[in-house]
Amino acid sequence: MKSYSVRLIPVCLKKIMKMNASVIAEKKSIIEGQAEIRVSSQKVFYNPVQEFNRDLSIAVLSVFLDDFKKSFIEKAQKKAKRLTAEGIEPEKTIEVPITILEALSATGLRSIRYAKEVPNVTKIIANDLSEQAVETIKENIVYNGVENFIDTNHDDACMLMYKHKFHSKRFTAIDLDPYGCPSIFLDSAVQSVQDGGLLLVTATDMAVLAGNSPETCYCKYGAVSLKTRSCHEMALRILLQCIEHHANRYSRFIEPILSISADFYIRVFVKIHSGAFHCKKTTSKLSMVYQCVGCDNLTLQPLGAFKANPTEKNPGQIKSCLPLVPPVGEFCVHCNHRHHLGGPIWSAPIHNIEFVNRLLNHVEENSHKFGTAKRIIGVLSMVQEELQDVPLYYIVDKLFGRVHLETMPMLQLRSAILNAGYQVSFSHASKLSIKTNAPAQLIWDIIRTWEKTHPIKQNKLETDEAAKYILSQEIKNNIDLTERADANPNSRRNGALRFQFNPTPYWGPGSRASINVSEGKMHKAAKNQNKKRKKQEKREHSPQSDNVERKKQHVSDKITVE
């Protein structure tokens, strides 16, 4: 027996070594920022395009948490002074607990980067519904040496947040980056953030938000989306009104500090505040949108407004009121077509410019820490220049294409608007955008003035009633097309990386993560690829049998005889 057992030991060791080697071979390493994660090469849920998203989130959290910490200490010091005045000895040390929840962690890369790169963090909870994902996260946490900062959790994201809705358990920041629509997580999320805390939300279902399926958008977000040229900014504003709607149920409201449309998704960063009185102002921040079906002109109708109500004690008092409707007639004044109705959307500012300025300075000073620093600086530079009180925008080539005209140079169009005494800017959401507080009448007058020196072919007007009506209208404004230097913004003049080309041939939101994915299921998915095309080719090229030919001949002979 001894000799038998001695011979078995090295065989078992060899088998174990082979198993370990095979496991190591199946793992691949991903390095991003200061984090390095090891994941299964076959079942990895990692998208390198989202590095911009993660870098921007780290920068936003770094600046926000610095402000949050200072605000917390100031409040604690005021409380200490009040207690001292009452004869109560306050605590000598002021601790600022800062907790972050990543509700949908997948590989844990984002949480690990937060732990390593965001200062002032006390604790991070990395949660996922997949048990396999949680095991991967645990391995990566140990591998990166951040066990003291990150706790893993295996639970439904909504249930976990509901467990933390009490004041003493709320998170300083919650990051929601789901596959597709985030609306199912918002009710629990707005209850689980501290007063003045930060909610970071991503949405990748852009087809729904951009107007391809308005009925689905209403089901998911409580708003009707419109298929308009400024659909990417409208998507941001639909998501913001959805978060506000969920927050108002609990006497809370949002303060957007940064809202970004990038690549195939939108990303918003909002502060959550409490206060029933401020919730009453929500109707003045939301608007319905009238879209002309002929010229795509957009007109906003606020849901609420405020008017002066001075008294002897309070001369500056105001009160809420209902605005008069509708803002448009039955037919559009520009092209004589009818309107679609969409919304409600968030019509208040979607950025906090003071915060954006400090965020831009932070990224410029720490550009070596971010792999996508150039792009972040370019996007924030455009956000910094955007007109904050002007919702939505025009697309230049679509404006001139609507009346079949050669497109005016961008700088000349911007100059014409500035020469008329109005403001103009780009939007970070579109390369050819025009965001302006000028009325639509001025924009069409500029186009009609351009048409006089760049005439349209008459045969193109014969079948297009809208274009014919627009160009036939009288020019009511004095248009000056002289170019001016300030029409070219600094971000464009300095060559900032404002818009990035698709980095890889096959990029996008990726495939939905699955909790129980078997090898058979993956094989079936691969097998079913292009199955419709394969069936079509089979029908076209498959030789018919002799029996089929005889049956066809028999039927044709029978028809001939009858």
Side-chain angles (χ1 to χ4, degrees):
M1 290 295 293
K2 281 187 178 180
S3 60
Y4 180 75
S5 61
V6 170
R7 285 196 300 269
L8 272 179
I9 290 174
V11 175
C12 294
L13 287 174
K14 287 181 181 179
K15 288 184 178 181
I16 292 170
M17 291 173 66
K18 286 181 179 179
M19 290 173 64
N20 290 336
S22 62
V23 171
I24 294 171
E26 291 178 358
K27 296 281 185 177
K28 72 174 182 179
S29 180
I30 297 171
I31 300 175
E32 186 180 290
Q34 297 180 23
E36 180 179 356
I37 61 171
R38 299 170 69 193
V39 293
S40 171
S41 59
Q42 295 179 350
K43 299 177 183 178
V44 59
F45 192 74
Y46 168 76
N47 194 340
V49 179
Q50 290 279 44
E51 183 181 359
F52 170 76
N53 184 327
R54 289 182 281 269
D55 282 352
L56 181 62
S57 300
I58 289 168
V60 170
L61 278 171
S62 299
V63 177
F64 166 77
L65 292 179
D66 187 51
D67 295 343
F68 184 86
K69 185 176 180 180
K70 290 178 181 177
S71 176
F72 188 95
I73 293 174
E74 288 177 3
K75 290 179 181 178
Q77 289 174 345
K78 290 180 180 178
K79 183 179 179 180
K81 289 181 181 179
R82 188 174 66 252
L83 292 174
T84 303
E86 295 174 357
I88 303 173
E89 186 177 353
E91 296 181 4
K92 295 181 179 180
T93 59
I94 301 175
E95 295 183 359
V96 186
I98 294 177
T99 57
I100 300 175
L101 168 65
E102 187 189 3
L104 309 156
S105 296
T107 61
L109 172 61
R110 191 184 296 260
S111 292
I112 293 170
R113 290 197 63 187
Y114 286 171
K116 286 193 163 189
E117 301 176 44
V118 179
N120 302 316
V121 176
T122 306
K123 185 65 67 177
I124 299 172
I125 296 180
N127 176 75
D128 204 280
L129 186 59
S130 168
E131 188 174 354
Q132 182 182 357
V134 174
E135 292 301 320
T136 302
I137 295 169
K138 288 180 179 178
E139 293 175 4
N140 287 325
I141 289 173
V142 173
Y143 187 74
N144 284 269
V146 288
E147 303 95 322
N148 296 332
F149 291 97
I150 304 178
D151 290 339
T152 58
N153 191 77
H154 177 217
D155 200 355
D156 176 79
C158 292
M159 295 307 298
L160 174 62
M161 288 187 284
Y162 279 131
K163 293 174 185 176
H164 288 78
K165 68 178 184 179
F166 301 104
H167 290 79
S168 59
K169 295 183 178 180
R170 287 177 176 173
F171 298 101
T172 310
I174 295 179
D175 194 321
L176 296 174
D177 192 356
Y179 179 92
C181 177
S183 62
I184 60 174
F185 305 103
L186 295 179
D187 184 80
S188 54
V190 295
Q191 298 181 68
S192 308
V193 180
Q194 293 179 19
D195 194 18
L198 188 66
L199 182 60
L200 306 84
V201 184
T202 300
T204 60
D205 55 337
M206 293 303 294
V208 173
L209 287 165
N212 286 355
S213 184
E215 67 283 356
T216 305
C217 186
Y218 181 80
C219 293
K220 293 184 174 183
Y221 294 95
V224 176
S225 57
L226 295 173
K227 204 166 187 177
T228 179
R229 309 304 181 192
S230 55
C231 59
H232 291 96
E233 184 178 324
M234 182 168 282
L236 284 168
R237 294 180 179 277
I238 288 175
L239 177 57
L240 289 172
Q241 73 81 29
C242 184
I243 301 173
E244 174 79 350
H245 179 67
H246 283 281
N248 286 167
R249 297 173 183 173
Y250 309 101
S251 298
R252 311 196 83 184
F253 62 98
I254 69 169
E255 178 195 349
I257 59 174
L258 181 64
S259 307
I260 296 295
S261 172
D263 300 327
F264 51 83
Y265 62 90
I266 56 175
R267 177 79 161 168
V268 298
F269 305 84
V270 298
K271 288 183 181 180
I272 304 293
H273 301 283
S274 298
F277 173 76
H278 291 282
C279 291
K280 296 180 180 180
K281 300 179 182 179
T282 294
T283 54
S284 63
K285 302 174 185 176
L286 305 178
S287 297
M288 302 300 291
V289 183
Y290 289 87
Q291 178 196 20
C292 175
V293 299
C295 63
D296 197 47
N297 184 57
L298 301 175
T299 306
L300 269 62
Q301 170 63 60
L303 296 184
F306 285 87
K307 64 180 181 180
N309 185 37
T311 61
E312 293 182 2
K313 294 183 178 179
N314 188 2
Q317 179 176 286
I318 58 174
K319 71 173 184 178
S320 61
C321 63
L322 293 175
L324 298 175
V325 296
V328 296
E330 183 179 0
F331 296 96
C332 175
V333 296
H334 306 294
C335 68
N336 202 36
H337 280 63
R338 300 179 76 92
H339 296 85
H340 285 152
L341 180 63
I345 67 169
W346 180 270
S347 52
I350 61 176
H351 313 292
N352 183 322
I353 292 302
E354 182 184 354
F355 180 85
V356 172
N357 293 339
R358 289 188 286 113
L359 179 61
L360 180 58
N361 292 333
H362 173 78
V363 176
E364 289 176 340
E365 293 171 0
N366 301 275
S367 59
H368 60 283
K369 297 181 180 179
F370 305 105
T372 59
K374 288 185 178 180
R375 188 183 180 194
I376 294 176
I377 292 171
V379 171
L380 293 180
S381 298
M382 293 198 70
V383 168
Q384 198 178 38
E385 296 168 348
E386 278 186 22
L387 296 177
Q388 300 305 308
D389 297 326
V390 180
L392 309 178
Y393 52 83
Y394 300 98
I395 298 295
V396 174
D397 59 341
K398 300 299 181 183
L399 273 174
F400 288 85
R402 184 64 196 84
V403 290
H404 312 287
L405 287 177
E406 176 187 342
T407 303
M408 178 187 291
M410 176 65 78
L411 293 184
Q412 194 169 5
L413 176 60
R414 289 171 60 92
S415 297
I417 295 172
L418 292 172
N419 290 333
Y422 295 96
Q423 295 175 299
V424 64
S425 74
F426 284 106
S427 168
H428 77 278
S430 179
K431 189 174 183 178
L432 298 175
S433 59
I434 285 288
K435 186 184 281 282
T436 178
N437 60 350
Q441 177 67 40
L442 177 71
I443 303 301
W444 289 119
D445 281 353
I446 293 173
I447 293 173
R448 284 187 278 263
T449 303
W450 176 258
E451 192 269 338
K452 292 184 179 301
T453 54
H454 299 76
I456 185 177
K457 294 181 180 179
Q458 292 302 314
N459 60 346
K460 291 186 177 181
L461 292 179
E462 294 176 359
T463 58
D464 194 337
E465 292 297 328
K468 187 176 182 180
Y469 190 92
I470 292 170
L471 294 178
S472 65
Q473 298 300 302
E474 180 185 357
I475 299 175
K476 298 180 181 180
N477 296 279
N478 294 323
I479 305 301
D480 182 6
L481 300 181
T482 305
E483 289 193 17
R484 44 194 288 174
D486 57 348
N488 193 16
N490 291 331
S491 62
R492 188 171 183 267
R493 189 183 300 116
N494 297 334
L497 181 60
R498 302 176 301 158
F499 300 97
Q500 177 175 285
F501 292 103
N502 298 353
T504 58
Y506 305 101
W507 72 291
S511 59
R512 183 186 293 273
S514 181
I515 299 172
N516 297 312
V517 181
S518 64
E519 294 299 327
K521 183 175 180 180
M522 295 298 290
H523 175 70
K524 183 179 179 182
K527 181 180 178 181
N528 287 337
Q529 288 182 2
N530 300 320
K531 64 179 182 179
K532 292 184 178 180
R533 181 175 61 81
K534 291 175 182 177
K535 286 182 179 180
Q536 182 66 26
E537 291 177 355
K538 186 176 180 180
R539 284 196 297 267
E540 293 177 355
H541 301 291
S542 297
Q544 295 180 341
S545 64
D546 295 339
N547 291 332
V548 175
E549 290 294 337
R550 282 197 298 271
K551 287 179 181 180
K552 286 185 177 180
Q553 184 64 33
H554 176 71
V555 172
S556 61
D557 292 344
K558 185 177 179 181
I559 293 173
T560 305
V561 171
E562 290 177 354

